[in-house]
Amino acid sequence: MKNRLLRCFIKQENNQWVAVCIDLNLAAQADTCNDAKLKLEGMINFYIQEALTVDIDYKEQLLSRKAPFSLILEYYFAVLLKNLPAFNPAHFQIFSGVSQSQVV
């Protein structure tokens, strides 16, 4: 098995937090930042497990499914802002998840 780094971010939209994984095009929302992150992590684990067991014939396609370009741009814009010392938005956070997968 190979470790795979998944790029994710969380943003606040109105009164909800939205967590997005740009490498698998998955998203979850919740009332708190931590709950959204936990939901997304659960979705990622379930999605990968299903791709490697139940949907094994389609695992290559399922595990290389990218988010729309607009979300990828939003992720990299947040990475840029995070690296600027004068700007650290509280309504936007970056995180990475590591998953175990058989994908090369």
Side-chain angles (χ1 to χ4, degrees):
M1 289 209 164
K2 178 182 175 187
N3 281 336
R4 181 175 176 194
L5 183 65
L6 300 173
R7 297 166 295 168
C8 306
F9 68 91
I10 299 174
K11 62 182 178 175
Q12 190 173 21
E13 291 184 348
N14 302 321
N15 294 328
Q16 292 284 304
W17 286 88
V18 179
V20 178
C21 175
I22 65 169
D23 292 312
L24 296 175
N25 195 22
L26 296 174
Q29 76 178 40
D31 292 331
T32 68
C33 179
N34 192 50
D35 286 348
K37 182 179 179 181
L38 290 173
K39 279 185 178 182
L40 181 63
E41 288 171 346
M43 287 175 68
I44 289 169
N45 289 333
F46 180 77
Y47 184 85
I48 290 172
Q49 181 180 1
E50 289 290 303
L52 295 177
T53 57
V54 177
D55 296 319
I56 192 120
D57 293 338
Y58 303 100
K59 81 173 181 177
E60 296 291 329
Q61 295 149 309
L62 292 170
L63 296 176
S64 63
R65 190 176 79 153
K66 300 288 183 210
F69 187 67
S70 61
L71 287 175
I72 294 169
L73 275 179
E74 195 171 356
Y75 171 83
Y76 282 108
F77 182 69
V79 168
L80 174 69
L81 292 180
K82 183 179 178 184
N83 290 316
L84 295 175
F87 192 81
N88 192 3
H91 65 282
F92 212 107
Q93 297 178 20
I94 305 291
F95 70 97
S96 298
V98 177
S99 69
Q100 295 283 328
S101 71
Q102 296 174 337
V103 176
V104 178

